[in-house]
């Protein structure tokens, strides 16, 4: 029989479902980030139990596998001392004449629109290890960043 007359199942035409990609490198988290991951795992477990549609449940299970992996591999970063820019710090800096404030956090907690950037971001890399008053080169521009102040990020416990 010719292939042209063969009825193919719908399954043959679907794109394969790959696992959600994990960010490279260690899974450093703040205390707030760890709590966020734990809450996400719990919420997904509840959603899977309540979901009646098989396809939607499979999507939720895929997402749960991602968050279970992130939960298992999470490494709680040591609390920063607040004297220099590090993971878990809030940095006030001046760049291009504008003063801004960011928190340096883990990959899953990052939300640039709200001022939380991943420790793996180029801006964070440029700042890590610097203290208040330092001028830093960034993106090929000398003295592009001035560190104004460094403190623990919001939500991080005091020592």
């Amino acid at each position: 029989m010719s292939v042209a007359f063969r009825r193919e199942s719908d399954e043959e035409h679907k794109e394969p479902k790959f696992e959600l990609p994990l960010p490279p490198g260690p899974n450093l988290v703040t205390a707030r980030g760890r709590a966020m991951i734990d809450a996400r795992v719990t919420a997904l477990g509840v959603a899977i139990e309540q979901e009646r549609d098989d396809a939607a449940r499979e999507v939720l299970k895929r997402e749960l596998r991602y968050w279970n992996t992130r939960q298992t591999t999470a490494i709680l970063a040591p609390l920063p001392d607040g004297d220099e820019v590090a993971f878990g710090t809030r940095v006030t800096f001046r760049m291009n004449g504008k003063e801004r404030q960011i928190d340096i956090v883990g990959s899953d907690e990052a939300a640039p629109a709200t001022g939380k950037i991943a420790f793996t971001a180029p801006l964070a890399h440029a700042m890590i290890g610097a203290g208040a008053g330092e001028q830093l080169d960034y993106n090929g521009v000398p003295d592009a960043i001035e560190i104004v102040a460094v403190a623990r990020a919001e939500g991080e416990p005091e020592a």
Side-chain angles (χ1 to χ4, degrees):
M1 174 187 270
S2 170
V3 174
F5 296 105
R6 192 182 89 189
R7 179 174 170 92
E8 298 176 0
S9 74
D10 290 338
E11 293 297 315
E12 289 182 49
H13 297 292
K14 289 185 177 178
E15 289 290 321
K17 297 290 183 200
F18 298 105
E19 292 301 312
L20 295 172
L22 296 169
N27 183 16
L28 293 176
V29 296
T30 62
R32 180 181 174 276
R34 178 58 196 235
M36 180 202 76
I37 291 170
D38 293 345
R40 189 73 182 137
V41 167
T42 301
L44 283 166
V46 170
I48 289 168
E49 290 295 320
Q50 295 174 348
E51 184 58 59
R52 297 295 161 233
D53 180 58
D54 289 340
R57 191 170 34 259
E58 287 307 311
V59 170
L60 290 169
K61 285 180 178 180
R62 178 179 177 230
E63 190 175 344
L64 180 59
R65 286 190 300 272
Y66 171 88
W67 288 107
N68 276 333
T69 301
R70 298 306 280 172
Q71 187 179 47
T72 303
T73 61
I75 301 166
L76 189 60
L79 288 174
D81 60 16
D83 293 336
E84 65 180 33
V85 178
F87 187 94
T89 56
R90 171 165 287 167
V91 185
T92 304
F93 65 100
R94 195 170 292 115
M95 187 165 76
N96 298 327
K98 289 185 178 179
E99 193 167 292
R100 295 179 45 200
Q101 198 172 64
I102 59 168
D103 291 349
I104 299 178
V105 297
S107 299
D108 294 318
E109 191 179 355
T114 62
K116 294 183 182 334
I117 66 168
F119 70 102
T120 55
L123 182 59
H125 272 284
M127 293 181 177
I128 289 177
E134 285 190 48
Q135 299 274 337
L136 307 170
D137 298 345
Y138 181 66
N139 219 15
V141 179
D143 298 335
I145 300 170
E146 176 189 355
I147 305 295
V148 176
V150 180
R152 281 205 179 117
E154 187 175 299
E156 290 306 298
E158 294 299 318

